[in-house]
Amino acid sequence: MDRDTTRDQNIKENETFDGDCLDLPDIPLPETDNVLYSILNSLNQNIADFHTFVKFNPYLSEEHLNVELLKRSMGIHRDFAALFLHTKEELVFTYPEFIEKTEKLLFKGNVGNDCIKYTHKLCRAISDYKIALHREGYLPDLRRQLPLIDL
């Protein structure tokens, strides 16, 4: 038996362990940028999957298609809600009307009977929101920079 197992066995039922000998590393809090990129990656993947299932719907059974579209739609909604709540405070002063409209769509949206139309509206709002994030400096400019020497 190793040292930790024997130490755990030596503690009686009524005793409490103070944790003096714990060998736990000091784990730093995650960087905000990493969380933002993680949310964006998940959101982009869910949107791509959603559009793929919509495009290839004639080739799938209706039951399987409904389940997959609902999963992707819920994933898009979850990820966009996380992104929105993570970045809303800084954008509300710059784009107040847009933030209000997006918040209504996201949290009070009228899904009704057609989840696909609602998700398409949400995807358009996500696209606009990404543009706003890019303008405010949350997202790096991923366009390729051409050196002036080559021109």
Side-chain angles (χ1 to χ4, degrees):
M1 275 192 238
D2 63 14
R3 183 176 61 91
D4 293 334
T5 307
T6 56
R7 183 188 67 215
D8 291 343
Q9 287 179 350
N10 291 335
I11 298 174
K12 297 179 184 172
E13 288 182 21
N14 295 333
E15 289 185 22
T16 58
F17 183 68
D18 294 334
D20 295 335
C21 299
L22 290 179
D23 297 327
L24 296 176
D26 187 22
I27 300 173
L29 293 173
E31 300 260 340
T32 305
D33 293 340
N34 292 338
V35 172
L36 183 64
Y37 289 123
S38 174
I39 292 169
L40 282 169
N41 285 337
S42 177
L43 182 63
N44 289 337
Q45 183 65 46
N46 281 325
I47 290 172
D49 289 346
F50 177 80
H51 287 299
T52 301
F53 278 109
V54 168
K55 184 174 182 176
F56 292 105
N57 68 0
Y59 305 106
L60 300 170
S61 70
E62 187 175 338
E63 182 180 324
H64 179 68
L65 181 67
N66 288 340
V67 169
E68 291 299 325
L69 286 177
L70 184 61
K71 274 198 247 180
R72 299 308 180 245
S73 181
M74 289 172 63
I76 290 169
H77 193 276
R78 178 201 63 221
D79 292 340
F80 185 48
L83 178 67
F84 185 79
L85 293 173
H86 190 72
T87 57
K88 173 186 164 186
E89 291 178 6
E90 288 79 11
L91 296 178
V92 75
F93 297 115
T94 313
Y95 307 103
E97 296 88 17
F98 174 65
I99 295 296
E100 183 180 345
K101 182 177 137 185
T102 304
E103 189 172 27
K104 247 183 221 175
L105 177 67
L106 186 60
F107 297 113
K108 301 173 190 169
N110 297 326
V111 177
N113 293 333
D114 198 351
C115 183
I116 294 175
K117 284 184 183 176
Y118 172 74
T119 306
H120 279 297
K121 279 185 191 176
L122 200 59
C123 288
R124 284 191 294 273
I126 290 168
S127 178
D128 293 342
Y129 198 77
K130 285 181 186 176
I131 291 170
L133 287 175
H134 179 71
R135 286 181 184 159
E136 293 302 312
Y138 276 95
L139 304 176
D141 190 6
L142 298 176
R143 291 177 286 178
R144 189 171 162 190
Q145 299 294 327
L146 295 174
L148 294 176
I149 300 170
D150 294 341
L151 297 176

